[in-house]
Amino acid sequence: MAAVRTGSEIALNRFAVVIVLIVTLIFLAPIYWITSTAFKPRNLATTIPPTVVFEPEISPFVKLFTKRAQLRSAPTPEEYAAAPWWERLVFDGGEKVVRSGKGEVQLSGYPSRFMNSLIVAITSTVLAVGMGTFTAYGFSRFKVKGEQDLLFFILSTRMLPPVVVAIPMFLMYRAVGLNDTHWGLIILYTAFNLSFSVWLMKGFIDEIPKEYEEAALVDGYTRMEAFFKIVLPEAATGIAATAVFCFITAWNEYAFALIMTNRRAQTAPPFIPSQVGSGLPDWTVIAAGTFLFLLPVAIFTFLLRNHLLRGMSFGAIRK
């Protein structure tokens, strides 16, 4: 027979629910603020008190993807009527879209920076998780001399904030020609995420019984075949969880991207704040860039949500 809850237990549960709701609202408030600002007209972005009810528009996204200049004079009715519908949105904000001598629309730097973020984050995540999985397997399955010291040394790479080593890394990169290159950022992010990947994956692999591999070896499998056909499928949830955290870290990194890149390999985080518009800061454009920047991480985490929840309860960092 189920135990009858007392009044104090019911009150405590309700109080816990209220606390969870308050904390959830606190965490969701910035996301709502960025999302709503991304669809606001420019004149409503900084009103006091904030404008909650408004007619959404996509002009901030048009401005985000195009180069703009301040209008010196209002367009003529013929020019306004001949312009595409999306260009009229820019006209309404007192700006014009910059075109080349051939009349082609000049794109802003955001699409290339966004693509740079994808290239760097995905590549560094694959490398960090891949090397971390192999390293963790070695520590988990074999007796390594000085294992604890090696694991501590690997973890020590995360003990300093990135900005402490940014200047030495900048000087080293300049000497070897890796400044403002994709591979320069990929190497940095991989090295930075590798320690986290090794420690997290070791906890996951430790939870997989060794008897599975021993049975496979008895059946004639090689050690590598046992690893790929037995260990990796069992550790899939751990790999997914590790990949999510490594991807988020690489995707959101700001300090190294600001110092180590300029144009060719610059990622979105240092580029978005530079979109202040002509004249006063255009917060709607910055919000639009931030909103689009949030989508890949949100989609990636959503797709791996089941693996992520299972993975967090599957492995644990020990000692």
Side-chain angles (χ1 to χ4, degrees):
M1 183 177 180
V4 179
R5 293 191 300 175
T6 63
S8 59
E9 290 177 336
I10 295 175
L12 184 61
N13 288 339
R14 290 177 177 175
F15 178 75
V17 171
V18 171
I19 294 298
V20 169
L21 290 176
I22 292 175
V23 172
T24 302
L25 290 175
I26 291 174
F27 277 96
L28 290 180
I31 298 177
Y32 165 76
W33 192 277
I34 286 293
T35 304
S36 63
T37 303
F39 292 92
K40 282 183 179 180
R42 184 174 180 176
N43 62 332
L44 298 181
T46 56
T47 56
I48 300 176
T51 303
V52 179
V53 180
F54 58 92
E55 184 177 351
E57 59 180 46
I58 62 171
S59 59
F61 295 92
V62 176
K63 296 178 182 179
L64 176 67
F65 284 96
T66 57
K67 288 185 178 180
R68 295 160 287 123
Q70 195 73 29
L71 275 175
R72 296 183 179 179
S73 60
T76 63
E78 293 78 11
E79 291 175 337
Y80 189 87
W85 64 269
W86 51 267
E87 192 170 356
R88 296 174 193 170
L89 298 176
V90 181
F91 282 150
D92 293 341
E95 295 176 312
K96 64 178 181 179
V97 175
V98 177
R99 295 178 178 271
S100 65
K102 297 180 180 180
E104 298 175 348
V105 175
Q106 297 291 299
L107 296 178
S108 70
Y110 185 81
S112 62
R113 267 66 171 192
F114 191 88
M115 184 58 63
N116 288 340
S117 290
L118 285 175
I119 293 172
V120 171
I122 293 175
T123 307
S124 64
T125 298
V126 171
L127 291 176
V129 175
M131 291 189 290
T133 302
F134 277 106
T135 305
Y137 179 76
F139 279 120
S140 178
R141 291 297 189 259
F142 304 103
K143 291 183 179 180
V144 180
K145 187 176 180 179
E147 175 183 339
Q148 298 303 318
D149 293 333
L150 290 173
L151 286 172
F152 177 79
F153 174 75
I154 293 173
L155 185 63
S156 66
T157 59
R158 295 293 294 261
M159 293 182 181
L160 289 176
V163 70
V164 174
V165 297
I167 301 303
M169 292 300 301
F170 173 80
L171 297 176
M172 292 170 58
Y173 270 38
R174 187 174 64 178
V176 297
L178 284 176
N179 269 353
D180 200 19
T181 63
H182 292 97
W183 278 112
L185 282 184
I186 289 170
I187 293 171
L188 271 176
Y189 294 169
T190 301
F192 191 71
N193 279 326
L194 189 57
S195 58
F196 176 81
S197 176
V198 170
W199 273 78
L200 200 58
M201 285 306 303
K202 185 179 183 302
F204 293 132
I205 295 176
D206 284 343
E207 294 293 325
I208 301 173
K210 295 181 180 179
E211 289 76 14
Y212 293 170
E213 296 163 75
E214 293 171 354
L217 294 174
V218 170
D219 288 341
Y221 282 59
T222 64
R223 174 64 69 172
M224 290 300 293
E225 288 175 336
F227 172 76
F228 282 107
K229 295 183 179 181
I230 304 299
V231 177
L232 279 187
E234 292 291 328
T237 54
I239 292 174
T242 305
V244 168
F245 287 112
C246 289
F247 182 81
I248 291 174
T249 301
W251 185 256
N252 292 330
E253 203 283 323
Y254 180 82
F256 282 133
L258 178 65
I259 296 173
M260 300 294 183
T261 62
N262 183 22
R263 296 190 65 181
R264 288 183 302 167
Q266 188 182 49
T267 54
F271 178 78
I272 291 174
S274 68
Q275 300 304 289
V276 294
S278 55
L280 296 175
D282 193 343
W283 297 111
T284 60
V285 176
I286 296 176
T290 306
F291 172 75
L292 292 179
F293 186 71
L294 291 174
L295 291 181
V297 172
I299 294 172
F300 184 60
T301 306
F302 178 79
L303 293 176
L304 296 180
R305 65 191 184 282
N306 294 331
H307 293 294
L308 183 63
L309 293 174
R310 291 178 59 194
M312 288 297 94
S313 61
F314 181 66
I317 295 175
R318 297 182 176 180
K319 298 184 180 180

